[in-house]
Each structure stands twice: as C-alpha cells, then as structure tokens.
Amino acid sequence: MNKDRQEASPTTLDPSDWDAMRTQGHRMLDDMFDYLENIRERPVWQPIPAEVHAQFRQPAPQAPNDLAKLHQTFLERILPYAAGNSHPGFMGWVNGGGNPVGMLAEMLAAGLNANLGGRNQIPVEVERQVLHWVRGFFRYPDHASGLFVTGTSMANLIALWVASRKALGMQVRSQGLSAASRQLAAYTSAGAHGCVAQAMDLAGLGTAALRIIPLNAQFEMDLAALERAIAEDRAAGLHPFFIAATAGSVDVGAVDPLNALADIAQREKIWLHVDGAFGALAILSPELAPRLAGIERTDSIAFDFHKWGQVPYDAGFILVRDGEAHHDTFASPVSYLRRETRGLAGGSPWPCDFGPDLSRGFRALKTWFTIQAYGTEKLGQVMAGTCALAQYLKQRIEAEPALELLAPVSLNIVCFRFRCEAPESNRINAEIAVALQESGIAAPSTTILSGRLAIRAAIVNHRTQRGDIDALIDATLSLGAKLAKSGTESGTSTGTTTA
Ligand SMILES: *Cc1c(COP(=O)(O)O)cnc(C)c1O
C-alpha cells in the first residue's frame, strides 16, 4: 500500500500530519515531567469550582476538537483537580505516589496496545517474568500461579473463588452453589478491609458466612477467638474453608500473626489467604520483612504494586500456591479461544485462564520497568523510609500535649487526634481533617477506632519527607486550636470529660 492511498483514507484515526502530532506529544510529555518535578509547589488537593464540574457534564462532541486545545483543558481543568496522591503531602487512605519511570512505561504500553488476555507474544512473557519474581519474593514454589488484576479487591475475590471451588469441587462451576453438599464458613478479623466481606457477597457465599474475629490490643486477629469460631462452626456441621489474614491493615497497619495462623490453617486444613494490599511488598525491605514471617506458608497472597510499590495505578496482583486449582477455576474451553502449539494461538495457558477478564491491559510493563529501573533494594528502602517517617510523626505527636496517639504505629500508618472535650472530639477532629485537606498543606483521612474519630496519616509516598510531617503537625495544631475555640464560643461544646 502506498503512502498516498493511506493518507486518503477517510476513516483512519491516525493524523495526516505526524510531525505536528509528534510536537504536540513532546509538549504533553514535558508538561507531565514539569508536573512531577514541581509537584511540591502545588496544593496537595483543592476544592473543585462549580464551573469546572459543569464542564464535564457537556454532551459528547460530534465534530473533532483540536488536540492542543484539549491538552490545555487537561492542564487547566483536570490536572489541578485530581486527588493529589502523587503529592508528598498526601497521606489519606492508602494511596501510592506513582513514579516517572512507570509513567513512561504506561505510554509505551498504550502505544503498543497489547492485549494481555493471551496469545503467543512477549508481553505475556513480561507478565510471566513478574510472576516469577513475585514467587521469589514470597518463596512460593514454581507451580504457583499469578495474575495482574485491577487491585487487591479483585485479587481477594479471585482467591476466594479458587478456595471455594477447591473446597466444593469444580462441579460447582456448572451446578452452582445451591447444589453444593457443604456449607462453607470463612474467617477474617475485625481489622480486615471491607472488600473481604464484599468478596463473600460477590462469590455468592454471603457475608453471613464470614466470621469477623475480634482484634487483640495490637489490632491483630485474636487467635484464640479464631480457634473457638472454627470449632463452633465444625460442631454446627459447617465446613470452615478460608481464613483471610491481613498483612498491613488499612486502619492502623497491623500485621496478623502469619506463622501462628499458618499452624492453625495447616492443622484445620483451611486455605490461608493474605490480604497484603500494601503490606506484602514490605518483603522487599530486609528491615521490614521479618514482620511478614510466615507469609511463605500461605495459600494465596493479594497485593498491590500501586500502593507501596509506587507503580502507577492500577497494578494489583494475585499469587496462588495451587496453580492447578487456580487454572481450573477459570479456564473455559470455547472454540474461538482454541490453543495451538505453534502460531499466535500458542503459549497456553494464557492469563485469561486465571481470572474473569479476557481482554487485559499491559499492567505488567509499568511494573517490570519500575522494578528494573529502581531495583528491589531501593523499593524496599522507600517502604522502610515511610515507616521511619511514621515513627517520627508518632514522636512528634507524643511530644505535643494537644495531640494524642490513638493506635500503635506498626508500619507506616499513624492515627491520632487533637485533644478536646469528649462530645466534641469526633466532630472537631473530622473538621480538622477536612480543613487540612482544604488548606492544600496535607491530606490525611480519618477512621473510627473504638468509637473515637482519628486523623489518619498513611505515609506511602516515596516523595514524603520530614518537612511534610512537620507541616501536618503544625497545621493540625493551629487548625485544632482555632476550631476548638470557635466550637466553645458557639456554645456547642458541652462535654466534661476528655475522651
Ligand atoms: C487498599 C486496600 C485494599 C483494596 O485494594 P484495591 O487495590 O484498592 O482494590 C484491600 N485491603 C487493604 C488492606 C488495603 O489497604
């Protein structure tokens, strides 16, 4: 086909002027480098003006728009109003900071437009190489399987699907759960992420079949209570099949005692899964790895490269010891996905045989680039560094009479409050958190611990430094003093005790 005929095509989406596209593309790339290089100069987050909201409610355009103008809209109307999790002052929820190498890899992946469902192509080998590395991180055997997924919510669900199919037999895939001869029971702690219960719901097992085991003083699963619950369920004729442990709880960063849980799971013949959404990758830090002792004895691990691993969103991962059960839970013999030993349909089994997605993006590439470019040692140091910052924040809180620590600082999450009278404490601390976010200085989130509202700082971002911790403390103290005073003046503070 000659060039003239290509240019004449009225339906291609490629530009007629590649040079102009190239110039525009370089400008876009430069702008994103500028954004990352100067991110400290921006507010972490800022409230979104009504007219900006309104712009995103316009109907779909029928006619083309100029790319340079669209990019300008992105710079003015989208970029400044993102959540800000790349910013060093972002400490809300558990969000990763991303990294510039991962950003470039995303561009390469989008240009290649590879579909990672399967087929005989090196992009699938890149994903398999990351799986090979992940097996090594957690000392899982070679027959363990794994898959990139959106995030740990999906990874937990996949683990639950595989474990339940294994417990009930693969015939449930055709006959459904109602035909199963056993009634299953699962276990997790009161500190588990909400997606564990949601997975029970989505897997059709029901949240009522999930026992919520209380926490000990360290916010870890109470093992005696777990053993009692298992015994009671067995006595009632149920089939205990799944324990979802947490390595790095979302509230306070606690790690369940994995070795002791592995002992119980082994004795009781129960699948031991770990929700290690952010915490599992601490295995890359020689300093933090001992906290995860026993993780190598589990049946499955769900975690995110996009949190502590700093890979741009999204990059969740599920690792399953029993690769055969994992495959048998999802593989489907449909004629249009027939495999061959040669040609494009070679290379079976394919990633689509290990999860519900057929078409899949190239999440592996930004992960592969991030790990290759920085090395596992550096990534481990980043995680240990955020834990050191959490200890620094803890010390600063303990040194301030106006502040109170509300939970042990196990890893990188610190929960605290501004001290004020009991009935007003939750309201004022919630207001402090909002005021901090609106100030653009720092963006913590909140949680409730034993009925008390805590300002929660999850330090995940590799860009965060001591100065950012100081800014959080200073702003909390001044906003707290102001809000507590205005609360008293308006006569709303009636409390007599300090909570
Ligand atoms: C973030 C998180 C999840 C959910 O992971 P996603 O990647 O957001 O789906 C689950 N469990 C824990 C402990 C988390 O921190």
Side-chain angles (χ1 to χ4, degrees):
M1 203 188 272
N2 68 40
K3 198 156 182 274
D4 293 342
R5 270 173 65 199
Q6 281 181 43
E7 281 174 357
S9 166
T11 53
T12 183
L13 300 180
D14 285 337
S16 54
D17 182 350
W18 278 102
D19 286 339
M21 176 67 98
R22 186 183 300 265
T23 305
Q24 177 60 30
H26 287 169
R27 202 170 293 143
M28 290 164 125
L29 191 58
D30 276 340
D31 282 342
M32 287 321 284
F33 283 130
D34 284 345
Y35 168 73
L36 292 177
E37 187 178 355
N38 304 312
I39 195 160
R40 272 187 178 281
E41 292 158 24
R42 299 180 156 273
V44 184
W45 176 83
Q46 55 186 320
I48 302 159
E51 88 261 14
V52 173
H53 262 296
Q55 178 158 9
F56 296 93
R57 297 190 187 120
Q58 289 167 0
Q62 283 189 310
N65 279 296
D66 178 55
L67 182 57
K69 246 163 84 186
L70 291 173
H71 180 221
Q72 203 53 38
T73 303
F74 170 80
L75 290 176
E76 289 167 12
R77 300 283 163 120
I78 298 176
L79 180 146
Y81 302 107
N85 48 290
S86 299
H87 193 289
F90 190 95
M91 301 168 194
W93 301 273
V94 179
N95 274 210
N99 75 81
V101 169
M103 176 183 89
L104 293 173
E106 274 288 65
M107 185 191 66
L108 302 182
L112 195 57
N113 190 30
N115 179 349
L116 274 275
R119 287 163 279 274
N120 190 4
Q121 54 171 336
I122 285 297
V124 170
E125 286 308 317
V126 173
E127 180 156 345
R128 288 187 183 127
Q129 181 170 32
V130 176
L131 165 60
H132 179 68
W133 293 344
V134 167
R135 284 190 198 115
F137 296 164
F138 298 108
R139 292 193 274 144
Y140 264 45
D142 285 346
H143 58 78
S145 51
L147 192 72
F148 272 97
V149 290
T150 40
T152 291
S153 304
M154 177 54 89
N156 283 337
L157 176 57
I158 287 178
L160 191 63
W161 268 323
V162 179
S164 62
R165 268 46 179 174
K166 197 173 172 186
L168 296 174
M170 291 298 160
Q171 75 283 356
V172 293
R173 290 190 63 191
S174 54
Q175 292 165 14
L177 288 170
S178 58
S181 56
R182 294 165 144 176
Q183 213 184 326
L184 301 182
Y187 308 82
T188 199
S189 84
H193 193 275
C195 66
V196 173
Q198 194 193 37
M200 289 291 288
D201 165 9
L202 295 176
L205 299 167
T207 54
L210 179 67
R211 313 286 175 248
I212 307 296
I213 308 301
L215 299 173
N216 65 21
Q218 299 307 306
F219 291 80
E220 300 161 0
M221 194 190 296
D222 179 335
L223 298 182
L226 170 67
E227 298 203 79
R228 274 198 304 278
I230 293 171
E232 279 167 22
D233 282 331
R234 286 213 197 281
L238 300 179
H239 181 69
F241 85 109
F242 190 77
I243 300 170
T246 301
S249 69
V250 67
D251 262 349
V252 302
V255 181
D256 286 335
L258 299 176
N259 257 323
L261 281 166
D263 290 340
I264 294 172
Q266 212 167 354
R267 194 166 64 235
E268 299 278 352
K269 298 193 169 46
I270 299 177
W271 183 294
L272 178 59
H273 171 72
V274 182
D275 175 346
F278 73 89
L281 279 178
I283 202 80
L284 298 183
S285 158
E287 209 177 315
L288 302 175
R291 308 287 316 282
L292 299 170
I295 200 166
E296 71 286 353
R297 298 173 58 197
T298 58
D299 293 294
S300 51
I301 307 173
F303 68 96
D304 288 323
F305 283 106
H306 59 224
K307 288 178 172 174
W308 245 355
Q310 314 294 335
V311 171
Y313 282 85
D314 49 32
F317 203 88
I318 178 65
L319 180 67
V320 178
R321 178 178 301 276
D322 186 344
E324 197 181 329
H326 187 185
H327 176 268
D328 292 349
T329 297
F330 293 102
S332 296
V334 285
S335 52
Y336 48 84
L337 294 177
R338 223 177 91 81
R339 310 302 156 82
E340 306 289 351
T341 51
R342 289 172 42 221
L344 250 174
S348 188
W350 291 351
C352 68
D353 300 325
F354 294 92
D357 294 319
L358 176 54
S359 293
R360 305 170 65 249
F362 199 176
R363 296 183 183 105
L365 192 67
K366 59 192 168 186
T367 309
W368 187 90
F369 260 95
T370 297
I371 294 173
Q372 293 275 21
Y374 298 106
T376 56
E377 198 175 295
K378 176 74 179 272
L379 295 174
Q381 284 165 0
V382 166
M383 293 178 245
T386 62
C387 292
L389 285 175
Q391 289 302 324
Y392 174 66
L393 174 54
K394 176 189 164 191
Q395 286 161 15
R396 285 231 43 197
I397 290 162
E398 288 174 339
E400 291 290 346
L403 302 178
E404 180 187 6
L405 195 69
L406 291 181
V409 180
S410 169
L411 291 171
N412 59 334
I413 299 179
V414 184
C415 293
F416 64 102
R417 71 173 190 121
F418 184 83
R419 287 183 202 266
C420 45
E421 298 297 297
E424 288 300 289
S425 176
N426 285 3
R427 183 184 62 79
I428 287 177
N429 278 284
E431 280 180 21
I432 293 171
V434 171
L436 281 167
Q437 292 164 2
E438 288 179 347
S439 75
I441 297 168
S445 57
T446 62
T447 191
I448 306 278
L449 298 172
S450 312
R452 298 202 291 183
L453 188 133
I455 299 171
R456 176 177 162 286
I459 304 156
V460 186
N461 193 322
H462 59 97
R463 300 185 175 95
T464 306
Q465 300 171 2
R466 274 184 175 227
D468 301 299
I469 303 295
D470 291 333
L472 169 71
I473 292 284
D474 296 347
T476 302
L477 289 172
S478 67
L479 288 166
K482 210 165 82 191
L483 287 164
K485 188 157 161 265
S486 67
T488 311
E489 277 167 4
S490 64
T492 51
S493 178
T494 53
T496 51
T497 56
T498 301

